Amino acid sequence: MSKSLQAIRGMNDILPEQTPLWRYFESTVARLCDNYGYKQIRTPIVEFTELFKRSIGEVTDIVEKEMYTFEDRNGDSLTLRPEGTAACVRAVLEHGITGGGQTQKMWYIGPMYRHERPQKGRYRQFHQIGCEVFNLDGPDIDAELIVLTWRLWGQLGIRDAVKLELNSLGTSESRGRYREALVEYLSAHLDKLDEDSQRRLKTNPLRVLDTKNADTQAVLVDAPKMADYLDDESRVHFEGLKARLDAAGIPYVINPKLVRGLDYYSKTVFEWVTDKLGAQGTVCAGGRYDGLVEQMGGKPTPGVGFAMGIERLILLLETLEQVPEEISRQVDVYLCAFGEAAELAALALSEKVRDQLPNLRLQINAGAGSFKSQFKKADKSGALYALILGDDELGQQVIGFKPLRGQGEQQNIAFDALAAHLATCVVQG
Ligand code: ATP
Ligand code: MG
């Protein structure tokens, strides 16, 4: 195929055979968010570039080198959203829905765009589900977000494969003091730092903690620790969060090097990581961003949230073989009809059945075919039952009902009794 007719590198099709797993995942998360009192927000996929520069921060990987930015026909600089928090903040400010101190608990889902090197678990279009909470500053809500994700891992059957890492970045004052101490220490070891870290030391020194370079990591062993610089407010908040996680029975490890890639975090930061996916091990990440709304031009408004990467979680479900069998079955009943008269009767009958059983997944054979070929298709569809309508059945106004997965005998059912019969044998979602 010529190059122009291929999808863009790092941007994937999700094919019909894969979407049942996606929809299962998405509906599980959506239901959980609903149940915890979060309402969905939907924002555009494109925003003014300035929004991301101001919220994510100029000297972050995302803004420096990962954004899909272009000029539109008006000459405005626009960017495909690389993450979801910026738009949520913009939207609550634009619509004034947090300005009076109102609490907002919201969630979003959708594609995000980052120009990264594509590899397993890392794509240029990927999907996130995230939650954001505004105007609650206590550790109770940080804990709720983590509890919600913990429940999700439980429902998905992947709890044993993920680990919670936790840190506090403190208030901006305490982080400022820590930054000074860190810069002083690292500057004394400048020659042992990798090039990237030397650069970050000047632009965004906390990010040095995040380095993958072994030499720099060795230098960091004796570096000052954020925990020693936390002010009382941050310490009390962090202790409050830990106490709640303990109460909820959620295990965690404190990772003093956890800083997160985005500039806007304060106090709580956390990541759910797995060792089952190789290098792309973070499946969900979040934290508190108490200064962000004000930085974006609003009143001081505490905020906290997380985002999970759907592709990585889908990969994890597949790796751990935690794909429920029933989700790939899309058909309950497959109707085979033989001959023109039977086809017409089958259409009328199945529409009547659909009236009575709106949730029944009934597929009618299309494209005619021999008994053998229709039966093969019925079996391949995954249906539990086949319905068979030929001239003989039509003459008696009955339809053949045949269990395909070994549940009982074949029998004839009167047209009038079909819906009632199906209602007794098909569990309807
Ligand atoms: P990483 O360190 O893996 O680059 P990040 O810190 O850039 O992640 P966040 O901005 O916190 O990621 O996004 C939250 C989650 O979204 C990540 O934990 C991950 O699961 C997912 N994610 C981020 N970037 C990608 C990507 N390029 N492809 C697939 N999933 C991604
Ligand atoms: Mg990244």
Side-chain angles (χ1 to χ4, degrees):
M1 208 189 292
S2 79
K3 189 134 201 245
S4 61
L5 291 180
Q6 290 180 351
I8 296 165
R9 189 163 120 85
M11 304 206 180
N12 301 316
D13 297 311
I14 301 158
L15 294 173
E17 68 189 39
Q18 299 167 302
T19 51
L21 179 54
W22 279 71
R23 291 181 61 186
Y24 156 73
F25 177 81
E26 290 163 2
S27 60
T28 304
V29 187
R31 192 177 50 238
L32 211 50
C33 291
D34 289 346
N35 292 352
Y36 278 81
Y38 292 71
K39 293 202 183 107
Q40 193 186 14
I41 181 170
R42 301 184 184 198
T43 64
I45 284 173
V46 191
E47 299 271 356
F48 287 118
T49 305
E50 189 57 24
L51 174 70
F52 302 114
K53 286 194 175 164
R54 268 178 58 189
S55 61
I56 298 170
E58 297 263 8
V59 286
T60 54
D61 284 352
I62 292 181
V63 172
E64 277 182 345
K65 51 191 186 202
E66 295 175 0
M67 293 205 302
Y68 279 90
T69 296
F70 60 96
E71 233 181 57
D72 78 354
R73 289 171 193 274
N74 303 331
D76 292 324
S77 179
L78 308 183
T79 295
L80 295 178
R81 64 179 181 197
E83 54 94 57
T85 305
C88 290
V89 171
R90 181 202 45 72
V92 299
L93 284 178
E94 190 167 338
H95 301 285
I97 57 174
T98 54
Q102 308 95 309
T103 296
Q104 290 288 343
K105 296 185 12 172
M106 53 181 69
W107 67 276
Y108 61 83
I109 178 171
M112 305 292 160
Y113 301 85
R114 298 184 193 177
H115 197 276
E116 305 193 68
R117 191 170 68 77
Q119 51 199 293
K120 183 182 170 195
R122 191 177 293 286
Y123 311 100
R124 290 181 174 172
Q125 177 184 273
F126 62 99
H127 297 77
Q128 288 183 334
I129 295 185
C131 287
E132 311 290 353
V133 180
F134 296 97
N135 276 323
L136 288 172
D137 60 8
D140 50 351
I141 194 70
D142 306 31
E144 177 176 279
L145 289 166
I146 293 173
V147 166
L148 186 159
T149 49
W150 174 246
R151 179 164 298 282
L152 176 64
W153 315 143
Q155 290 184 355
L156 296 172
I158 57 174
R159 249 186 206 173
D160 292 344
V162 291
K163 195 177 74 176
L164 176 61
E165 298 196 350
L166 204 60
N167 193 19
S168 175
L169 300 179
T171 56
S172 68
E173 299 77 49
S174 58
R175 201 160 57 256
R177 278 185 287 120
Y178 174 62
R179 190 183 295 118
E180 268 175 40
L182 184 67
V183 169
E184 191 181 316
Y185 171 85
L186 291 176
S187 301
H189 299 82
L190 197 61
D191 53 324
K192 294 191 212 86
L193 303 183
D194 63 284
E195 208 177 303
D196 226 23
S197 296
Q198 292 190 3
R199 190 175 53 84
R200 281 183 173 156
L201 185 57
K202 298 204 185 68
T203 55
N204 194 351
L206 289 193
R207 288 300 309 284
V208 176
L209 298 177
D210 206 20
T211 183
K212 307 272 186 293
N213 181 282
D215 296 336
T216 304
Q217 281 175 345
V219 174
L220 286 172
V221 171
D222 295 321
K225 300 276 178 289
M226 181 73 226
D228 300 326
Y229 289 79
L230 290 185
D231 50 24
D232 286 346
E233 181 191 331
S234 310
R235 204 187 316 274
V236 168
H237 190 279
F238 199 33
E239 291 307 319
L241 172 59
K242 288 190 275 187
R244 282 168 177 80
L245 296 179
D246 292 338
I250 301 179
Y252 53 85
V253 292
I254 306 294
N255 176 356
K257 293 199 186 125
L258 185 64
V259 290
R260 310 279 313 111
L262 285 57
D263 253 3
Y264 50 56
Y265 287 106
S266 56
K267 293 187 180 154
T268 311
V269 286
F270 66 91
E271 288 190 359
W272 287 101
V273 295
T274 178
D275 57 9
K276 304 279 188 278
L277 295 179
Q280 272 55 251
T282 303
V283 293
C284 174
R288 182 162 276 285
Y289 48 84
D290 288 344
L292 180 60
V293 175
E294 194 179 5
Q295 179 186 314
M296 306 271 287
K299 291 184 195 162
T301 305
V304 59
F306 66 74
M308 57 182 89
I310 303 184
E311 281 81 357
R312 291 186 194 178
L313 284 157
I314 297 275
L315 274 171
L316 189 56
L317 289 174
E318 289 171 337
T319 307
L320 299 173
E321 298 182 1
Q322 288 294 339
V323 179
E325 212 174 298
E326 63 277 9
I327 64 162
S328 51
R329 195 172 58 76
Q330 298 274 289
V331 180
D332 299 319
V333 181
Y334 192 100
L335 196 160
C336 309
F338 306 97
E340 173 88 5
E343 277 188 18
L344 297 182
L347 180 58
L349 177 61
S350 54
E351 285 306 302
K352 263 200 197 121
V353 168
R354 289 189 219 271
D355 285 342
Q356 291 175 59
L357 303 174
N359 293 325
L360 181 72
R361 298 177 301 177
L362 167 61
Q363 187 167 322
I364 309 196
N365 183 75
S370 67
F371 187 83
K372 198 172 156 203
S373 81
Q374 290 201 31
F375 225 73
K376 218 167 162 181
K377 286 200 270 178
D379 192 44
K380 217 175 145 206
S381 75
L384 298 173
Y385 303 97
L387 295 173
I388 300 151
L389 191 59
D391 289 338
D392 289 353
E393 288 84 4
L394 187 54
Q396 302 171 48
Q397 296 284 292
V398 298
I399 191 161
F401 172 87
K402 182 174 167 53
L404 294 172
R405 321 274 154 206
Q407 340 77 315
E409 293 299 300
Q410 178 165 353
Q411 53 181 303
N412 282 340
I413 314 269
F415 282 3
D416 289 345
L418 181 59
H421 184 74
L422 291 174
T424 62
C425 50
V426 178
V427 184
Q428 292 177 64

